[in-house]
Amino acid sequence: MEKRVVALTGDRPTGRLHLGHWVGSLKNRVEMQSAFDQYIMIADVQALTDYFENPQKVMDNVLEVTADYLAVGIDPELSTIFIQSQIPSLSELTTYYMNLVTVSRLERNPTVKAEIAQKAFGESIPCGFFCYPVSQAADITAFKTEVVPVGDDQLPMIELSNEIVRRFNKVYNTDCLKVARAKPGAIGRLVGIDGKAKASKSLGNAIFLSDSPEVIREKVYSMYTDPNHIRVSDPGKVEGNVVFSYLDAFYEDKDELAALKTHYSSGGLGDIVLKSLLDTVLQSRIQPIREKRENLSRKYLLEICLQGSQKAKSVAQKTLQEVKEAIGINFSPLKF
Ligand code: ATP
Ligand code: MG
């Protein structure tokens, strides 16, 4: 069989998936699955690094995330969906890679920095959380990944993974690990409905692919706009206005959108008109996804995850073997 370029991505099962995932990563994955050898990882081990006291939440969300995948069009015949905790080689690879990264390098990672501040760990940062970028390097390299279709919050992780790859190959004089490149979605980062830089499961500021029509409407109408746009006749700010950010991402009529922006900035266009337009746009985008999602049984979803995990396990095992050989960990009786 023709050898195809490997793509890998993943999501933490810390909640259902939202519109940020869709534009930042899922759409790319759907487009890529017929041309790439695509792996999609449900990162339960990574989710436990900050939800270790609440493992039930993580486990409950594994099938929720799987349902979101299938609902947006990820086809388990074309993509390998697997559960991180079922692939023990990933933990072993992480252990070997930890030697190749310094603590100060990990401290400089801007995404981890922002997450540490957001989670208010203070001085008590769990070691597992701090080191999760190293385990991401294990995930990426285990499958010989070359392309990673992620949102731009993940770019520093890929950079770090590539540093580990180069260091490993140099220290152990091998070429068994591959560097990977990121492929951000058309919208690298979708803002939260509260105007925060990123819509995220943990910040509670996202519109989910499974939200009901009422919840979507409520969220759209609560969106942050321009606090100084008080009367309809006032000129409004487009920049930093969440409704426009979402219209940029989801409204297809770009000419009409440009006209709306001009009208809004010069005054005379009210927030309610814009919000009602966005509500209509999002309702029609999310409805088919939500309906597809509702028709998937848990038994079927679990089968998909276990089948995928079986395949991923054997691929990662092979890489681990190569890594151990390169380091020189080889206690085969044939050697002596
Ligand atoms: P958590 O809050 O638990 O970290 P999350 O919402 O950040 O959850 P992840 O599971 O960490 O979601 O991210 C999965 C993928 O989705 C990553 O590739 C990430 O870049 C992408 N992604 C997440 N949120 C956004 C967003 N708001 N815009 C664009 N891409 C996003
Ligand atoms: Mg995240």
Side-chain angles (χ1 to χ4, degrees):
M1 209 176 89
E2 160 215 11
K3 219 170 153 42
R4 293 191 297 175
V5 171
V6 177
L8 172 121
T9 41
D11 303 278
R12 294 152 38 96
T14 51
R16 296 173 171 200
L17 300 185
H18 50 70
L19 290 175
H21 296 114
W22 196 31
V23 291
S25 182
L26 294 171
K27 277 187 170 178
N28 250 338
R29 301 185 210 176
V30 174
E31 276 167 27
M32 288 171 66
Q33 62 185 347
S34 43
F36 289 78
D37 185 7
Q38 175 155 266
Y39 290 83
I40 301 178
M41 180 179 81
I42 303 179
D44 57 343
V45 177
Q46 193 190 118
L48 284 173
T49 64
D50 57 323
Y51 283 85
F52 59 93
E53 288 172 313
N54 193 359
Q56 198 55 45
K57 177 177 168 119
V58 174
M59 297 317 141
D60 288 346
N61 277 302
V62 168
L63 296 187
E64 298 291 347
V65 167
T66 312
D68 286 320
Y69 290 159
L70 302 195
V72 296
I74 288 172
D75 177 350
E77 296 288 321
L78 300 174
S79 297
T80 304
I81 300 173
F82 69 96
I83 306 173
Q84 189 181 22
S85 60
Q86 303 308 296
I87 322 295
S89 306
L90 298 177
S91 302
E92 284 191 60
L93 287 172
T94 305
T95 304
Y96 299 124
Y97 295 169
M98 293 238 206
N99 300 328
L100 307 174
V101 197
T102 63
V103 171
S104 65
R105 177 65 183 90
L106 289 173
E107 274 168 350
R108 283 201 305 275
N109 183 310
T111 304
V112 174
K113 252 192 199 164
E115 288 174 344
I116 285 172
Q118 174 206 318
K119 291 175 204 295
F121 284 136
E123 291 299 303
S124 315
I125 307 165
C127 189
F129 182 82
F130 187 65
C131 294
Y132 90 74
V134 184
S135 103
Q136 270 187 225
D139 308 330
I140 294 172
T141 55
F143 302 95
K144 306 279 166 107
T145 306
E146 290 184 69
V147 182
V148 191
V150 281
D152 74 0
D153 60 320
Q154 292 299 309
L155 301 183
M157 306 304 173
I158 296 167
E159 209 176 293
L160 187 74
S161 172
N162 285 342
E163 279 174 35
I164 293 177
V165 166
R166 291 195 191 95
R167 187 105 206 272
F168 184 93
N169 286 349
K170 187 154 179 264
V171 170
Y172 300 112
N173 193 22
T174 174
D175 59 359
C176 78
L177 299 183
K178 283 190 172 174
V179 291
R181 70 180 163 83
K183 187 175 187 294
I187 304 292
R189 192 178 304 203
L190 188 70
V191 294
I193 54 173
D194 52 0
K196 288 213 178 101
K198 182 177 172 273
S200 147
K201 299 186 215 97
S202 347
L203 294 175
N205 61 355
I207 297 179
F208 292 89
L209 298 170
S210 47
D211 275 345
S212 67
E214 298 71 35
V215 169
I216 297 170
R217 196 178 147 80
E218 208 176 287
K219 288 182 177 171
V220 168
Y221 279 82
S222 75
M223 276 180 174
Y224 180 86
T225 55
D226 171 3
N228 297 319
H229 185 236
I230 296 160
R231 282 178 301 264
V232 173
S233 55
D234 291 340
K237 248 174 87 180
V238 170
E239 183 95 348
N241 186 318
V242 176
V243 180
F244 278 112
S245 304
Y246 276 67
L247 286 171
D248 277 335
F250 299 101
Y251 188 42
E252 274 165 359
D253 190 340
K254 301 297 173 202
D255 292 339
E256 167 70 8
L257 181 55
L260 287 171
K261 284 180 181 174
T262 312
H263 190 176
Y264 192 79
S265 335
S266 54
L269 180 58
D271 283 357
I272 297 297
V273 175
L274 284 178
K275 286 182 171 175
S276 152
L277 169 66
L278 179 62
D279 179 49
T280 310
V281 170
L282 293 184
Q283 296 289 358
S284 71
R285 291 295 192 93
I286 295 176
Q287 185 198 9
I289 299 176
R290 186 179 52 232
E291 284 173 2
K292 196 163 168 202
R293 210 182 176 286
E294 281 161 6
N295 289 321
L296 298 162
S297 80
R298 291 176 69 79
K299 182 168 176 289
Y300 172 67
L301 294 169
L302 183 62
E303 254 165 44
I304 298 292
C305 289
L306 295 180
Q307 266 170 23
S309 299
Q310 206 55 40
K311 177 180 164 197
K313 195 171 169 176
S314 75
V315 176
Q317 172 65 30
K318 196 162 161 284
T319 303
L320 175 65
Q321 215 45 51
E322 288 171 25
V323 159
K324 287 168 88 173
E325 293 274 342
I327 301 174
I329 307 171
N330 179 351
F331 291 101
S332 148
L334 299 173
K335 241 190 111 187
F336 295 97

